[in-house]
Amino acid sequence: MDTRGHAPASLLPRPMRVARVVTEMAGTVTIELEAGAFAFAPGQFVMVSSPGVGEVPISISSDPDDGTPLALTIRAVGATTAVIAAVSEGSWLGIRGPYGTAWPDIPEGDLLLMAGGLGLAPLRGAFLRALRAQERIGRVILLYGTREPGMILFDRELLGWMRQTRAEIHVTVDQAHPGWTGNVGLITTLLERERLDASNTTAFLCGPEVMMRLSARQLAALGVSPSRIHLSLERHMACATAQCGRCQLGPLILCRDGPVVRHSDVGRALGIAEL
Amino acid sequence: MIVHPVEDLIREHALFAETGPEIAGLLASCARNVVFRDGELIFKEGETADRLLLIRSGRAALETSIPGHGNVIIQTVKTGEALGLSWLVPPYLTDFDARAIGTVRAVSFDATCLRAKCESDPRIGYAFYKLMIPPLIGRLRTARIQALNLYEPTADPNPA
């Protein structure tokens, strides 16, 4: 069959109407889409396009199991994301995917989630799954770090989780004004006070790569097996179908083999600056 | 109310967890038990760094003033950690303000007394300075990572 001139179905963006736009903080919005039947797993990403502007990979921040709309949390950092983050209700975006690997199933033991900045968005679905499973699993710990109190993502939802769930949630910021009564310091300083049962702990990490490297190293030093430390890695994902190689990290093509990977599979590669 | 001897309080502190009881005993004469109320200034930037505080419970904020931005908290120091490290090196002046967030209970060491003990008995001095190295390295590491401004949008190498 001659397929020249025909894009595979997986490459065709599906038009989706913007149902709601929630401003999370300056330059960062959560866009809810009328996606219809759209199966995905927490941790996966989609390619989001604005016609005539460009296409970018964005992690899904909604929970696939709670019946809420498909949600994407986007920060305007470049030309394409600036246009997408400025969409209004009723406008349309092109969506391809979902792509990539998901967070593993919620483990039986203790689950530690460490998120930095917007890294909370890809972890949100996994956290909500863990909350629903809390009766049958061990501790659910969420450690979250960001620059300052005004940049805490999903702040009202976090507060609700703190008050209404049994999850142990701790937040830290890099700096704050007087009146802030929480922690100020690196996210790894929160780890120091957690008495982890290392042999029974699985960790999901998402945030700036330096933060994940340091956190994974500290977790390994505490005795958590690198095969139970899972990271969500970002590279420049352009095609999302493992064809262009732009998101290669050593032997991995992250749009296919990631974004969620085991630390035991990437720890060495993450230490090589050229990759 | 039960009053614990200050030597016990030192020994129970996380920083002294790896040392034998001897060091705590030798340093106890430099120490006293202190309490700071919520919002109380523990020490002020630029004043003589005359104390080392071992936080027993509570949290203290290290603050500095940035023109146009008011005071900014750059770090919090919590239960089990040490507050005030400037007494270790000349000119023994504090670099930041420290303020209690909620009630802070601590063991306060007199810096002059500590330095004299360390000078007079190098064995104590070595053991004690070894205790001070991990918090110093931890703060150096924290400061370096924070200087990278990891969470800023401009940190993205591939803005799209």
Side-chain angles (χ1 to χ4, degrees), chain A residues 237-269:
Chain A
M237 290 156 179
C239 73
T241 54
Q243 300 298 310
C244 72
R246 294 283 296 274
C247 60
Q248 184 171 1
L249 176 68
L252 304 178
I253 303 291
L254 284 177
C255 67
R256 177 193 63 200
D257 307 319
V260 178
V261 292
R262 282 193 181 94
H263 188 244
S264 51
D265 294 334
V266 295
R268 193 174 159 275

Side-chain angles (χ1 to χ4, degrees), chain B residues 4-52:
Chain B
H4 297 278
V6 73
E7 190 178 327
D8 290 351
L9 300 179
I10 298 169
R11 215 176 277 139
E12 287 164 10
H13 194 270
L15 208 63
F16 280 75
E18 304 296 322
T19 65
E22 190 192 359
I23 298 293
L26 289 168
L27 298 176
S29 61
C30 297
R32 65 193 177 94
N33 197 12
V34 293
V35 178
F36 300 95
R37 301 295 167 204
D38 183 28
E40 188 176 343
L41 198 62
I42 299 171
F43 53 76
K44 190 163 176 53
E45 177 182 335
E47 69 184 21
T48 303
D50 56 1
R51 283 168 290 167
L52 162 70

Side-chain angles (χ1 to χ4, degrees), chain A residues 44-271:
Chain A
Q44 288 191 295
F45 70 97
V46 291
M47 297 299 292
V48 184
S49 56
S50 176
V53 178
E55 188 181 49
V56 287
I58 302 291
S59 293
I60 300 169
S61 53
S62 48
D63 176 0
D65 304 324
D66 69 357
T68 53
L70 178 68
L72 310 171
T73 301
I74 298 174
R75 178 155 65 186
V77 292
T80 306
T81 46
V83 170
I84 293 171
V87 292
S88 51
E89 290 171 16
S91 54
W92 294 79
L93 291 172
I95 303 293
R96 286 197 291 131
Y99 295 113
T101 55
W103 298 109
D105 290 340
I106 302 302
E108 295 276 311
D110 297 342
L111 179 62
L112 167 70
L113 299 100
M114 294 181 72
L118 285 201
L120 185 56
L123 275 172
R124 185 175 170 273
F127 177 72
L128 291 171
R129 274 192 170 173
L131 287 184
R132 281 194 295 273
Q134 208 167 6
E135 293 304 317
R136 66 170 176 81
I137 67 173
R139 298 167 69 193
V140 177
I141 308 162
L142 171 61
L143 307 182
Y144 177 60
T146 192
R147 178 158 171 71
E148 57 188 46
M151 291 178 72
I152 295 174
L153 187 64
F154 308 141
D155 53 349
R156 275 167 291 187
E157 201 171 18
L158 264 176
L159 207 56
W161 294 336
M162 285 176 178
R163 287 174 177 164
Q164 293 156 20
T165 74
R166 289 196 294 119
E168 300 161 52
I169 301 173
H170 304 289
V171 176
T172 187
V173 295
D174 276 353
Q175 60 175 247
H177 286 286
W180 168 255
T181 56
N183 200 76
V184 178
L186 286 186
I187 191 168
T188 47
T189 63
L190 296 178
L191 257 186
E192 289 160 10
R193 70 179 178 192
E194 293 298 330
R195 296 179 191 282
L196 296 179
D197 177 1
S199 63
N200 195 34
T201 296
T202 300
F204 296 175
L205 277 52
C206 189
E209 198 164 301
V210 175
M211 172 222 120
M212 289 194 288
R213 275 206 323 259
L214 293 173
S215 302
R217 199 179 298 152
Q218 192 164 337
L219 285 169
L222 289 170
V224 179
S225 165
S227 66
R228 296 174 75 163
I229 301 172
H230 303 268
L231 322 172
S232 179
L233 291 178
E234 250 185 38
R235 285 293 185 275
H236 186 66
M237 290 156 179
C239 73
T241 54
Q243 300 298 310
C244 72
R246 294 283 296 274
C247 60
Q248 184 171 1
L249 176 68
L252 304 178
I253 303 291
L254 284 177
C255 67
R256 177 193 63 200
D257 307 319
V260 178
V261 292
R262 282 193 181 94
H263 188 244
S264 51
D265 294 334
V266 295
R268 193 174 159 275
L270 287 180

